[in-house]
Amino acid sequence: MGKQQTDDKHEQPLQAVLIAATFDNAWHPITLEAYDGSGSVDNGGKGKERPLVLCPLNNVPLLKHSIDFLQGAGVRELFLISTHGTEALEQFLNAHASSTTHSPTTDNNSNKHTFHRSNSTNTSHKISWSSKLTISLLKFTDCTNIGDALRELDRRNVIKSDPFILMQSDVITNVDLRTVLELHEARKKKDNSAIMTVLLSDVGGWGYNDDTDENPNSPYDIDNNGVFCPPLRGSTDDLFLALDTTRGMDEARILLWENHPSKSKAAIPTSFFVENSSNITLTRNLLDIGLDICSPDVLARFSDEFDYRELRSQFVANCVSEEEIGLQSRIFGYTLRRGEYAGRPLGDMRRYHTVCMDVLRRWCYPLVPDNYHNRGKEKGKVEGAVANYVCERHYVYHDDCKTDNLRSHVGRSTQLLGPLLVGPNNYIGEHCCLQRSTLGPNCKVMDHCSIVDCHLWGDVVIEEGAKLNGVIVCEGGIVKKGAVVERGCVIGKGCIVGESVTLMEFTRITLAQEEEEEDDFSGFDDSSSEEESSEEESDSDGKDVTEERAKSTELATAKGITNHDVVGPDGLGRVWTPSPPDEYDSDEEDDAEAAQAAAIELMKSQSIGFDMTLIYKKWKQLQMEDEDNFSEEGRGSDDEDDGMDVDDEWNNDDILDRKAATHLDEEGMEITGRQKGVDVVRELRDICLEHETSSPVENLRIELNSFKFSQNATYADCCKGAIMAVIDKILEEADNPSPGKLVASLKKKLEYWGPLFHSICMGAEEEKAIIHALEIMALGTGKGAAALGTEPAFRFVLQTLHDQEIVNEEAIFEWAGERKDEGIDTPLGKLFRQKPTQDFLEWLEQESDDDSGSEDDDDSD
């Protein structure tokens, strides 16, 4: 019986989703260049744009590594999500899926491509990588972020297995997923809210002081002060986690996900210390490897929360911060065990180099060059399909090809220092030095050259005496005699660095042309415009974007649109510079220059050879400045900014509740999960306004709680939004009511809304928030200002809330104490000093004194 249950359980084949896009420009301009699928440059610049997953990692496209890994993990159906370069992906899958001839077919109802046997009578039988794995290529060309892609995937309803594997495009790992899948399935049986398991790798934390003997050949970045900078981390990555490790790291529940390096503090909800055990681990040593085990509920959550754009910084961060039992989706972490490796080479070029070298050092065994296997038929391809690598001393790999025309030649006086990979059909001259580099097929390195920390992707020519340090040279690139290419440079496909030229560090040259729709910050150096010929704009309706890009590349080659002052008079290629973020929008010249400078600094930090200790020291300085600012705020006066902008009732919210506006809690700590720019009070008010009073108010309370936790708002925010909605409903029913009618309507409304306020008012802070909301409306410009600003309306509403036991005298006295110091000429001061309001406060104080006197008399008796 037990065996039968197991068989039923696995009746649904294991599915996986591979996101074949990174949604950033860390690899520009390489991914903007024309690509024909083979990597050759004999096509005159014509071809399709290059998808990043087809970039070679140690002479094999990263996509092939990913597919092989997933197949080895037991995946039977793979969905490959693509946003650009789909034609090149189709060509790759057709050429490598099987030795059987394939032809792509397209579903008329979607952009879903599958691969069928051309000689099979059963056309519904799909084929992809092997007889055990099928691949479906999904074209999501309109998606600009991973959130949109997952929502579209959920809409198509193709994910049936529970769990399924969600994998980013830039993952190189040898982790045994069978163990992780078993742990996830067992956990999901016990707890239906355990919807996701995130795989993590322990790479060490920033600022670690190494006490061991210094190793000059260490692959890690350790400066003279012993500062350790994990090489597998990105320049924008500083993950801080809070984990409940009661059951060990394999069963650790994630309680906090924070990835903001410049922040010095992080807030942990205190409820976790009550609900969870006291065994909570805080760590900065873990790296997100981009691989998850998910329930289909994850896709449903993205569809429900349409604002989620990011998988980590929004979805995971908000899910783990949900507090109320029954509402949260639990996310767990699994830390890779000893001997398991994971890296993300496509995050940026610096990490790409690190992962390539780690693989050559055999840290990701069995993923090593001598296990790539001979699967291809075509000779000398960039994919290294025919390469049969052997590993020699010091991790030097070369192709053990027996065919004379593909055998590599290495000069007897040349020094090869590992890790090093020499592809098929290479020629390396005399008196050269090659170290920590990879050479693709058909590369030629002439005499007296130095190549260190470089990647030559195929058909590359390095002429005599050239020196390259920390450089990526794409297919067909040429570095001429005596040239020096410094760290962090990128030489695009078909580009030429002229004779005796020194290419300054972090320079990227390309033949790809700027996008016509871009105006400022086009991504190219303006100095090239002197040789650029203007062309009339043509009607582009119906034209393929890739065809236009290929045409512009061909024109660049033909007309020599080149920065000759950079690449030399005999060079070819123009300088590419990064654009500011898409969200940047300012006409101020100073701001534009600052944004451009920030984009260039980010590009440098993502380049080979960048010193990551600079990033660490910068973050440390920012954190120290942040701590100083918090200290100064703590010593500051509460009387600052007495003025109030009353142009709009919502503008006053930032002044009345400064802490909420800056997303800080009472101690100055940043509120986790609260999205910058989201007006939570307005959103909460809208939720209340849309609520139908025909349904129980308890339903509204649950909806408010759900939004509260998704934004990590407060109950005070809920109280503000609710009271504003009640007043708005009254004003919708009666235009400009008198104070008496306003109070009568309020009492009637509170018959329904009263239980809501009683459930979300936890104390004086929430009750004061209600009064603050009334002030905001009274001092605004809408109907609320006309109704509440007229004496004695504000006093009547305040007294009604007191009589209904929604706001007690303690909160009113605290509010009055805050307002006593307001200037008599300020809007807040004028509202507070209205005679009816002061009369009510005086009466309330007298009643309080009488009650305390009666209690004293009772005690004396």
Side-chain angles (χ1 to χ4, degrees):
M1 178 63 69
K3 186 177 187 304
Q4 181 64 37
Q5 290 178 350
T6 303
D7 293 342
D8 293 342
K9 172 184 173 183
H10 293 287
E11 183 178 352
Q12 174 63 47
L14 179 62
Q15 295 176 312
V17 177
L18 180 62
I19 309 294
T22 58
F23 302 108
D24 61 32
N25 61 355
W27 279 81
H28 286 181
I30 290 177
T31 51
L32 300 177
E33 297 174 338
Y35 183 71
D36 67 352
S38 68
S40 66
V41 292
D42 299 331
N43 58 343
K46 298 179 181 179
K48 313 169 185 67
E49 58 185 353
R50 183 201 302 267
L52 192 53
V53 291
L54 293 186
C55 290
L57 185 139
N58 292 344
N59 294 345
V60 175
L62 183 63
L63 178 59
K64 182 177 180 299
H65 287 308
S66 300
I67 295 176
D68 286 347
F69 167 76
L70 291 172
Q71 180 175 344
V75 173
R76 294 296 175 261
E77 187 173 11
L78 172 62
F79 294 94
L80 187 62
I81 294 179
S82 170
T83 57
H84 75 283
T86 308
E87 292 182 17
L89 289 174
E90 288 182 27
Q91 180 178 347
F92 176 85
L93 292 174
N94 271 316
H96 295 81
S98 170
S99 59
T100 306
T101 304
H102 298 79
S103 59
T105 62
T106 305
D107 187 345
N108 294 330
N109 297 324
S110 68
N111 289 326
K112 175 180 176 181
H113 295 266
T114 57
F115 300 89
H116 303 288
R117 294 186 195 271
S118 59
N119 59 351
S120 174
T121 57
N122 183 7
T123 57
S124 64
H125 180 65
K126 293 189 296 184
I127 276 193
S128 56
W129 208 247
S130 71
S131 59
K132 295 183 179 180
L133 176 65
T134 63
I135 299 179
S136 296
L137 180 59
L138 306 179
K139 297 201 302 185
F140 293 171
T141 54
D142 294 333
C143 296
T144 59
N145 57 76
I146 193 171
D148 290 342
L150 294 181
R151 276 184 284 272
E152 178 64 19
L153 184 66
D154 183 55
R155 186 186 69 81
R156 298 195 182 190
N157 195 30
V158 294
I159 300 301
K160 304 298 182 182
S161 71
D162 187 4
F164 71 94
I165 299 172
L166 179 60
M167 184 173 175
Q168 305 299 313
S169 62
D170 56 339
V171 179
I172 288 292
T173 182
N174 61 352
V175 63
D176 184 1
L177 280 186
R178 294 173 298 179
T179 302
V180 191
L181 287 166
E182 291 173 359
L183 288 171
H184 178 90
E185 290 174 347
R187 188 161 48 238
K188 187 70 185 301
K189 281 185 177 181
K190 298 177 182 178
D191 183 1
N192 195 49
S193 64
I195 65 171
M196 189 173 185
T197 299
V198 178
L199 275 72
L200 306 165
S201 177
D202 192 341
V203 297
W206 291 97
Y208 171 79
N209 291 321
D210 187 19
D211 296 329
T212 61
D213 294 336
E214 294 186 7
N215 178 9
N217 295 322
S218 172
Y220 297 109
D221 300 323
I222 303 178
D223 71 0
N224 295 330
N225 296 322
V227 176
F228 173 75
C229 299
L232 291 174
R233 289 190 188 276
S235 60
T236 59
D237 180 29
D238 187 27
L239 182 61
F240 176 73
L241 295 176
L243 304 171
D244 180 1
T245 54
T246 305
R247 300 180 181 178
M249 293 299 289
D250 290 350
E251 293 284 341
R253 180 187 171 192
I254 301 175
L255 305 179
L256 175 70
W257 185 285
E258 182 77 32
N259 191 16
H260 298 285
S262 61
K263 296 178 182 177
S264 61
K265 299 181 180 181
I268 303 175
T270 56
S271 61
F272 287 142
F273 291 92
V274 177
E275 180 182 346
N276 303 287
S277 72
S278 59
N279 192 10
I280 293 180
T281 300
L282 306 179
T283 179
R284 300 170 67 216
N285 293 359
L286 299 178
L287 172 73
D288 168 29
I289 73 170
L291 184 59
D292 309 312
I293 309 300
C294 302
S295 164
D297 295 335
V298 171
L299 301 180
R301 281 291 300 265
F302 269 91
S303 295
D304 293 340
E305 299 290 343
F306 200 78
D307 292 335
Y308 285 149
R309 294 169 55 87
E310 303 296 334
L311 180 62
R312 295 292 190 253
S313 61
Q314 293 181 354
F315 174 74
V316 173
N318 287 333
C319 282
V320 301
S321 66
E322 294 172 346
E323 301 176 25
E324 185 162 310
I325 298 176
L327 290 180
Q328 72 270 46
S329 297
R330 296 173 184 261
I331 297 179
F332 290 79
Y334 175 88
T335 304
L336 271 60
R337 298 173 178 175
R338 184 178 180 86
E340 294 180 329
Y341 174 88
R344 305 187 66 175
L346 298 188
D348 55 58
M349 298 178 187
R350 185 186 62 84
R351 281 185 284 176
Y352 168 80
H353 175 65
T354 298
V355 174
C356 285
M357 295 301 103
D358 288 349
V359 171
L360 295 184
R361 292 186 184 98
R362 310 181 77 81
W363 290 0
C364 195
Y365 188 86
L367 178 57
V368 290
D370 41 313
N371 278 349
Y372 285 171
H373 303 301
N374 180 3
R375 290 185 176 175
K377 300 298 181 184
E378 300 179 39
K379 305 299 183 182
K381 293 188 67 175
V382 168
E383 291 83 3
V386 301
N388 184 22
Y389 293 106
V390 294
C391 181
E392 298 182 344
R393 297 178 58 191
H394 308 300
Y395 304 119
V396 175
Y397 299 80
H398 68 86
D399 182 24
D400 188 26
C401 182
K402 306 302 181 183
T403 306
D404 290 338
N405 63 339
L406 290 179
R407 184 179 299 171
S408 294
H409 168 81
V410 179
R412 295 176 63 88
S413 58
T414 287
Q415 188 178 18
L416 303 181
L417 303 175
L420 182 70
L421 179 69
V422 180
N425 197 28
N426 275 213
Y427 174 86
I428 302 174
E430 300 289 343
H431 303 288
C432 296
C433 179
L434 281 70
Q435 183 177 13
R436 296 191 301 273
S437 300
T438 64
L439 281 70
N442 311 317
C443 292
K444 181 177 291 188
V445 179
M446 309 302 287
D447 298 343
H448 300 283
C449 291
S450 174
I451 298 177
V452 180
D453 295 324
C454 294
H455 300 270
L456 315 183
W457 282 1
D459 298 292
V460 172
V461 176
I462 310 297
E463 295 186 358
E464 184 176 358
K467 299 183 184 299
L468 287 75
N469 187 358
V471 181
I472 293 179
V473 186
C474 298
E475 299 88 347
I478 299 175
V479 179
K480 292 198 171 183
K481 182 178 179 180
V484 177
V485 185
E486 298 184 351
R487 62 172 180 153
C489 290
V490 174
I491 301 174
K493 181 178 176 182
C495 292
I496 301 173
V497 178
E499 184 174 339
S500 301
V501 167
T502 297
L503 198 62
M504 301 304 295
E505 59 185 21
F506 306 118
T507 300
R508 300 185 181 186
I509 61 173
T510 183
L511 294 179
Q513 301 302 289
E514 63 178 297
E515 303 282 354
E516 289 188 2
E517 63 271 19
E518 295 180 0
D519 294 325
D520 298 330
F521 304 112
S522 61
F524 296 95
D525 194 348
D526 292 336
S527 62
S528 65
S529 60
E530 60 185 7
E531 299 184 39
E532 192 169 0
S533 60
S534 60
E535 298 183 11
E536 296 181 358
E537 294 182 0
S538 60
D539 183 10
S540 60
D541 291 342
K543 290 185 178 180
D544 194 314
V545 174
T546 58
E547 292 180 1
E548 293 188 358
R549 179 168 292 150
K551 180 180 178 181
S552 62
T553 303
E554 186 177 13
L555 287 172
T557 305
K559 297 186 177 182
I561 301 175
T562 297
N563 290 125
H564 287 298
D565 57 332
V566 176
V567 299
D570 54 345
L572 178 65
R574 60 185 300 167
V575 175
W576 179 89
T577 54
S579 303
D582 293 337
E583 60 270 16
Y584 172 79
D585 184 15
S586 175
D587 295 330
E588 296 294 333
E589 183 176 353
D590 293 341
D591 293 342
E593 292 179 356
Q596 180 67 21
I600 292 175
E601 288 302 314
L602 177 61
M603 178 199 71
K604 292 180 179 180
S605 70
Q606 296 174 336
S607 301
I608 300 175
F610 181 81
D611 184 3
M612 286 298 290
T613 60
L614 300 176
I615 293 290
Y616 169 73
K617 292 173 181 176
K618 179 180 178 182
W619 289 351
K620 188 174 182 180
Q621 181 180 1
L622 289 173
Q623 290 174 349
M624 293 177 65
E625 292 175 355
D626 209 10
E627 291 176 357
D628 293 339
N629 292 337
F630 282 129
S631 300
E632 292 176 3
E633 289 178 3
R635 294 191 299 268
S637 172
D638 293 333
D639 296 332
E640 299 177 356
D641 297 328
D642 287 337
M644 177 179 288
D645 181 9
V646 295
D647 291 339
D648 188 335
E649 63 184 17
W650 289 99
N651 290 341
N652 302 336
D653 191 22
D654 289 344
I655 299 175
L656 294 174
D657 195 356
R658 297 182 182 92
K659 292 187 176 66
T662 55
H663 311 302
L664 302 178
D665 64 12
E666 294 296 330
E667 298 179 357
M669 304 283 282
E670 179 152 357
I671 301 175
T672 304
R674 189 160 181 170
Q675 297 180 16
K676 183 178 180 180
V678 175
D679 191 335
V680 292
V681 176
R682 183 188 292 271
E683 297 291 336
L684 288 163
R685 186 205 67 162
D686 291 343
I687 291 174
C688 293
L689 287 174
E690 294 170 1
H691 175 70
E692 296 292 339
T693 55
S694 58
S695 61
V697 74
E698 176 66 15
N699 294 350
L700 176 59
R701 186 190 70 82
I702 294 174
E703 189 173 359
L704 292 178
N705 270 335
S706 177
F707 181 84
K708 167 186 174 292
F709 293 129
S710 70
Q711 295 296 327
N712 205 8
T714 64
Y715 281 114
D717 294 329
C718 295
C719 291
K720 278 186 178 182
I723 193 63
M724 286 180 167
V726 171
I727 299 298
D728 284 341
K729 285 179 174 290
I730 294 174
L731 298 179
E732 288 176 1
E733 298 172 357
D735 189 19
N736 195 20
S738 64
K741 290 184 178 180
L742 177 64
V743 170
S745 299
L746 178 61
K747 289 181 179 179
K748 186 176 181 180
K749 292 290 183 185
L750 289 177
E751 294 177 3
Y752 177 84
W753 293 85
L756 174 66
F757 287 108
H758 291 151
S759 64
I760 63 178
C761 284
M762 302 299 179
E765 288 302 318
E766 288 75 24
E767 294 170 9
K768 283 195 299 181
I770 293 176
I771 305 176
H772 291 161
L774 296 176
E775 288 180 310
I776 291 172
M777 300 190 75
L779 298 177
T781 58
K783 294 182 179 180
L788 289 172
T790 304
E791 297 186 30
F794 189 82
R795 175 254 170 94
F796 282 179
V797 171
L798 187 61
Q799 184 172 348
T800 301
L801 294 174
H802 174 264
D803 293 342
Q804 299 293 324
E805 298 182 349
I806 293 174
V807 178
N808 63 31
E809 56 269 17
E810 178 184 355
I812 295 175
F813 289 149
E814 289 185 14
W815 165 75
E818 296 171 357
R819 293 293 175 259
K820 284 181 180 179
D821 296 331
E822 289 288 343
I824 192 172
D825 295 330
T826 65
L828 279 176
K830 292 178 180 179
L831 180 65
F832 172 71
R833 288 178 173 81
Q834 287 182 354
K835 187 176 185 305
T837 302
Q838 293 300 312
D839 291 343
F840 170 65
L841 293 174
E842 183 178 349
W843 172 82
L844 200 60
E845 289 178 357
Q846 183 177 356
E847 287 292 316
S848 179
D849 292 340
D850 291 343
D851 291 341
S852 61
S854 300
E855 291 177 1
D856 293 340
D857 292 342
D858 293 340
D859 293 340
S860 61
D861 293 339

